Amino acid sequence: MGRPDDARQDAVHSHAKPPAAVTHDSRWAGDLRSAIQCSAVILGLMLMIDWGAGSFTALRITLWVALAALLFMILYPARVTAGQGWLASRGLLRERRVRTDMLVSVRCLGGVSQRLRLRDTSGRRLEINPQILVNNPELWHRFSKDAQESAARGHLTCGATALLRISARIDRETALTVFKASGLD
């Protein structure tokens, strides 16, 4: 039989607000697997070429392992997560985090690979690939909700156009997915 204190603790904890869920990039594991596979294939090919050419030495093995490790570090995907009021991107060496409910600017940077640069009121910056938001509706929903809250507070002074472009892109991708699933493509 339970003690009287147990009932009181259950009553206190039942009214407590549950912790906000953290949303992750659902494609990160697949991207990580691809980075590992690409590095391993390059390493394997280089070792096979050296072995076939008869130049298989410890120095060359070290060189090819170092090259494969460098390729892995370049290909390593950032792990993007979001929670209530924040968005974080964790790379191999460090994590960057911004307060999405306190955003000051959102900018789309063009070039070879598009980037979305976020800056919050405390000056923290974060760059992510906007495709991550397109591929993960839960991340987009969390980010969009917080960005709208930031705009309502008057913090977001630059970036409404960038957010509209990403929103339109996500709507377009969603519509295409629905059409393909229903056979209307």
Side-chain angles (χ1 to χ4, degrees):
M1 191 117 201
R3 298 182 345 218
D5 289 339
D6 292 342
R8 197 171 341 141
Q9 284 179 350
D10 289 343
V12 169
H13 292 295
S14 67
H15 296 295
K17 207 169 155 183
V22 175
T23 306
H24 301 277
D25 178 5
S26 62
R27 295 186 181 192
W28 180 80
D31 292 342
L32 178 62
R33 204 170 16 260
S34 294
I36 292 169
Q37 289 171 347
C38 286
S39 299
V41 165
I42 290 293
L43 177 62
L45 286 174
M46 292 305 181
L47 292 176
M48 283 178 44
I49 289 171
D50 262 359
W51 181 64
S55 57
F56 199 69
T57 64
L59 179 63
R60 292 184 65 90
I61 291 170
T62 305
L63 174 70
W64 298 134
V65 169
L67 183 66
L70 178 64
L71 179 63
F72 174 73
M73 289 190 299
I74 291 169
L75 294 177
Y76 184 84
R79 183 167 190 152
V80 178
T81 56
Q84 186 171 356
W86 59 271
L87 183 76
S89 175
R90 176 134 180 87
L92 261 178
L93 301 177
R94 66 178 169 180
E95 179 179 86
R96 292 188 179 263
R97 183 181 294 242
V98 293
R99 293 282 313 262
T100 51
D101 58 349
M102 304 290 273
L103 285 175
V104 174
S105 70
V106 177
R107 296 177 190 253
C108 277
L109 305 174
V112 174
S113 70
Q114 285 192 344
R115 307 300 291 165
L116 189 64
R117 180 180 290 163
L118 312 171
R119 188 168 55 93
D120 65 13
T121 56
S122 62
R124 289 181 296 218
R125 295 170 192 236
L126 171 68
E127 283 188 20
I128 63 169
N129 185 343
Q131 189 64 39
I132 292 172
L133 296 174
V134 172
N135 293 340
N136 296 281
E138 292 176 357
L139 273 175
W140 167 249
H141 177 70
R142 167 58 45 208
F143 172 73
S144 175
K145 184 177 176 184
D146 289 341
Q148 289 171 3
E149 184 178 325
S150 181
R153 289 180 181 167
H155 295 298
L156 188 63
T157 57
C158 176
T161 306
L163 290 173
L164 287 174
R165 267 191 262 149
I166 293 170
S167 180
R169 184 173 165 188
I170 289 170
D171 290 344
R172 193 170 43 251
E173 293 281 331
T174 303
L176 286 172
T177 302
V178 169
F179 287 148
K180 285 180 183 177
S182 62
L184 298 174
D185 59 333

